[in-house]
Amino acid sequence: MQKASRLDHVQSSLTLAISARAAALKAQGVDVVSFGAGEPDFNTPQAVIEAAKAALDNGMTKYTSVAGLPELRAEIARWYGEEFGVGVTPDEVIVGVGGKQVLYNAMMSLLDAGDRVLIPAPYWLSYPAQVYLSGGVPVFVETREEDSFLLTPGTLEAAILACDPKMIILNSPSNPTGQAYNESQLAALCEVLRRYPDVVVLWDNIYAHLTYGDFRHVELGRVAPDLKDRIIVAGGFSKTFAMTGWRVGFAIASVGRIKAMTTIQSHSTSNVTTFAQSGAIAALRMGRAFLEEMRETFARRRAALLEALSSVQGVSCLAPMGTFYALVNCTKFCHLEKGGHRIQSDLDLAEYLINEAHVSTVPGSAFGAPGYLRLSFAMSESLIIEGVRRIGVGLSALEG
């Protein structure tokens, strides 16, 4: 079968493949604990559902403006300004089919063939795939666990000088590490970026409202308002409002950038599902009670996961500052043979754990983090504890 060369560097999402494997085993009657989930296990708030139902009853089943309902764009601008302290107008907003589409539209609106894009590693696995599909070339910038997997000013400047990028992608809080930038760290990166005015920042804050302890998300545009015209914000409703299946995301950027992204969207999907947009309006108007309940629930699960992992010999894990993921260092178990099991990578380790311990994890290699496993704690505390227990038993068998 012939296929476009742009697919040479692109594979299907490994996280979706892992989830499908776990689901297949469960369908066969195997009791699998799955740490692969990339979505909140909460129902969409009832107010959002009712708003969508009402929209259907009122005949909202036709096309809308490509960039989104004017009312929704205005609500996003208002909400974003109140939440993050950055003033936005409705014409600086576009509504897309989930966060993935707005990221892709942003890249398509900027990148020409061969343009380089800096991507700090570990990274969300769709970033490099979308860069390739947009004609660009991803350039991975390694971060260190001792730096909490965060980009440092020196590393950023060295990478810019080495490859002359058109774009850099920053994700805070980060999937898969759960780490996030504080204000001083962002300010230091912005000092570097000011010296290179042609570099655009794609700022993915999709997990901004899921943070823990004393840490709270810091928005890049508030730290450096002078860089606003160079920042493209990618956000959405999936994580914040448990609306993953609704497929509603948004981008915030300069008016010219939004117009360019709208042109691209007009020839791909056109508008987001009309009644889903009505649900999104309701989500932005419903207050913070749901957000706080979800955040507090995830905070308890995070604590349960970290406590359980502390009893597993041979692994380590930085406490995530946000998201519902933890990146577990399993390098000790990625190069060994025991009891007929030959494990040479984190992919082999994940395969071993699902087959022998009936625990589904995501190999860190999918995120540019070989030797690690990503665990999602979007599940009950009892399942978290049982899943980690199984991991511990499985790893102990490799050491015994």
Side-chain angles (χ1 to χ4, degrees):
M1 182 191 75
Q2 291 184 334
K3 65 177 182 179
S5 60
R6 71 176 64 90
L7 293 173
D8 290 346
H9 300 287
V10 179
Q11 298 178 343
S12 297
S13 169
L14 182 58
T15 54
L16 295 180
I18 293 288
S19 296
R21 175 74 187 284
L25 286 173
K26 289 179 180 179
Q28 296 169 18
V30 180
D31 176 22
V32 177
V33 176
S34 178
F35 284 105
E39 61 181 340
D41 58 327
F42 293 78
N43 291 329
T44 300
Q46 193 61 33
V48 176
I49 295 171
E50 293 301 327
K53 288 180 180 178
L56 284 169
D57 290 339
N58 292 329
M60 292 192 67
T61 58
K62 308 296 184 183
Y63 294 132
T64 69
S65 300
V66 170
L69 288 169
E71 186 179 6
L72 176 55
R73 296 173 74 189
E75 277 299 308
I76 291 170
R78 176 199 62 78
W79 178 85
Y80 180 83
E82 291 178 359
E83 291 291 319
F84 301 119
V86 181
V88 174
T89 60
D91 57 356
E92 294 175 312
V93 177
I94 183 174
V95 182
V97 185
K100 277 187 178 180
Q101 188 188 27
V102 295
L103 288 164
Y104 187 57
N105 286 350
M107 295 184 203
M108 287 291 290
S109 76
L110 181 72
L111 300 179
D112 289 316
D115 283 340
R116 290 169 289 276
V117 178
L118 292 182
I119 304 177
Y123 48 79
W124 181 48
L125 53 82
S126 287
Y127 293 146
Q130 291 194 350
V131 171
Y132 280 125
L133 291 171
S134 303
V137 178
V139 178
F140 302 112
V141 185
E142 298 299 325
T143 62
R144 305 185 306 167
E145 186 169 347
E146 50 264 47
D147 294 323
S148 298
F149 297 116
L150 299 175
L151 196 60
T152 65
T155 303
L156 171 60
E157 186 148 35
I160 292 174
L161 290 171
C163 75
D164 187 26
K166 184 173 281 188
M167 174 187 283
I168 179 173
I169 301 175
L170 293 177
N171 176 210
S172 181
S174 164
N175 175 8
T177 68
Q179 302 307 306
Y181 294 95
N182 62 32
E183 186 166 353
S184 63
Q185 290 165 332
L186 282 180
L189 294 181
C190 289
E191 281 300 309
V192 176
L193 290 169
R194 289 187 180 96
R195 295 195 283 272
Y196 303 94
D198 294 329
V199 180
V200 172
V201 182
L202 185 49
W203 172 251
D204 184 350
N205 72 359
I206 195 75
Y207 294 97
H209 288 87
L210 294 176
T211 60
Y212 309 112
D214 294 331
F215 180 80
R216 291 295 179 269
H217 173 77
V218 181
E219 188 67 2
L220 181 63
R222 188 182 66 78
V223 174
D226 57 307
L227 300 182
K228 180 180 176 182
D229 286 346
R230 295 167 53 191
I231 298 171
I232 305 171
V233 179
F237 294 79
S238 291
K239 318 300 182 181
T240 305
F241 299 104
M243 293 173 63
T244 52
W246 294 66
R247 308 315 302 138
V248 185
F250 61 84
I252 294 171
S254 66
V255 173
R257 180 67 51 197
I258 293 300
K259 287 181 178 178
M261 292 172 66
T262 302
T263 297
I264 292 165
Q265 188 161 300
S266 72
H267 294 292
S268 57
T269 62
S270 191
N271 64 272
V272 175
T273 302
T274 307
F275 51 88
Q277 294 187 64
S278 294
I281 292 170
L284 296 173
R285 292 175 175 172
M286 70 181 187
R288 298 191 59 87
F290 174 80
L291 300 180
E292 287 303 313
E293 178 186 356
M294 184 164 62
R295 191 178 67 81
E296 290 169 6
T297 300
F298 277 129
R300 292 192 296 270
R301 294 170 175 180
R302 167 184 175 268
L305 176 67
L306 292 173
E307 182 177 358
L309 285 171
S310 68
S311 64
V312 178
Q313 297 297 314
V315 305
S316 62
C317 177
L318 291 178
M321 302 164 69
T323 75
F324 39 75
Y325 307 113
L327 195 63
V328 182
N329 189 330
C330 301
T331 53
K332 177 180 177 180
F333 300 96
C334 291
H335 302 282
L336 52 81
E337 289 188 45
K338 184 71 177 181
H341 300 288
R342 187 182 185 194
I343 298 176
Q344 297 182 305
S345 68
D346 53 284
L347 284 82
D348 293 339
L349 183 60
E351 184 75 10
Y352 165 80
L353 287 174
I354 197 169
N355 289 333
E356 302 299 324
H358 297 159
V359 178
S360 171
T361 61
V362 185
S365 291
F367 309 99
Y372 291 77
L373 296 176
R374 192 195 74 174
L375 306 186
S376 167
F377 49 94
M379 64 178 81
S380 69
E381 291 173 50
S382 60
L383 274 180
I384 290 169
I385 293 168
E386 171 59 15
V388 174
R389 184 195 68 79
R390 294 184 188 186
I391 290 173
V393 171
L395 297 181
S396 294
L398 292 175
E399 284 192 302

